[in-house]
Amino acid sequence: WQNGDVDFRGAAATSIPAGLDVPVSGLKPGSPAVSESVTADVVYALASLDAKQLESTLSPKGRQLVAAAKKDSCAPDLRKAVRGVALGDLVSKPIASNRTLARQLQGSLTLPRSGFSRPLLLSQTLHDDSVILHESLRFLADAQLASNKVTAKSYLTGDPGDAERQEQSAALTFLDKLF
């Protein structure tokens, strides 16, 4: 889109996976359990790295799950596989003990908070265990403050289904305006 080949007018993003860099770069034995979705995302992040880099850091359970993620594990299958696994169960020593690895993970997982040149809707329901909610909300606020191209929305309802419908409606309305 930057060289003119695509008519990119903007985008809408929901369920913002912001802040994964925080638990991953601080990952160590004893790290707490989080939702299955977040644990699966952490495993996918680890699986994106060179196996030799991770070899001495992963626990046997971590090696097993990373291998499953690399093999062809779809998200629902991996979420089942990580059920009951705390983040600390993935490693035998802190990620931070390998500075190169920690920097690489943090760099690849940190989402940009500024520099948006096209309209962008960032949308987050408050009933979402697939993200680290407080980090996602902080990201929405930071991105909106940094750019007049960003519209940030969140949805507080008593029913997660209502929130998802509101989010979907807002995204469709936003995209309709772009086209």
Side-chain angles (χ1 to χ4, degrees), residues 22-158:
V22 175
V24 172
S25 61
L27 192 59
K28 62 186 178 200
S31 291
V34 293
S35 73
E36 292 164 7
S37 295
V38 172
T39 303
D41 286 345
V42 169
V43 171
Y44 281 129
L46 294 171
S48 72
L49 300 172
D50 180 40
K52 288 181 183 177
Q53 245 184 327
L54 286 173
E55 186 87 23
S56 66
T57 305
L58 292 177
S59 68
K61 185 65 168 178
R63 280 193 286 282
Q64 173 194 355
L65 291 168
V66 165
K70 284 184 176 191
K71 184 177 178 189
D72 190 58
S73 182
C74 63
D77 290 343
L78 190 58
R79 280 194 300 268
K80 286 180 190 171
V82 301
R83 191 170 291 146
V85 175
L87 288 178
D89 297 340
L90 300 173
V91 294
S92 58
K93 65 182 182 181
I95 291 283
S97 66
N98 181 334
R99 287 192 176 123
T100 303
L101 178 62
R103 266 194 310 274
Q104 185 179 9
L105 277 166
Q106 191 164 20
S108 68
L109 294 172
T110 302
L111 298 179
R113 295 173 188 265
S114 62
F116 303 109
S117 62
R118 301 287 195 274
L120 176 63
L121 170 67
L122 298 173
S123 179
Q124 181 64 58
T125 68
L126 300 181
H127 293 283
D128 187 349
D129 70 351
S130 70
V131 299
I132 303 169
L133 188 58
H134 69 278
E135 292 290 343
S136 295
L137 295 174
R138 180 180 312 164
F139 175 79
L140 264 63
D142 290 349
Q144 188 169 30
L145 288 171
S147 175
N148 66 350
K149 298 289 185 181
V150 174
T151 301
K153 293 189 177 263
S154 60
Y155 310 91
L156 176 61
T157 65

Side-chain angles (χ1 to χ4, degrees), residues 156-177:
L156 176 61
T157 65
D159 176 18
D162 286 343
E164 288 178 23
R165 284 187 288 280
Q166 288 176 21
E167 183 176 56
Q168 183 178 23
S169 175
L172 291 172
T173 300
F174 179 83
L175 293 171
D176 280 346
K177 288 179 186 175

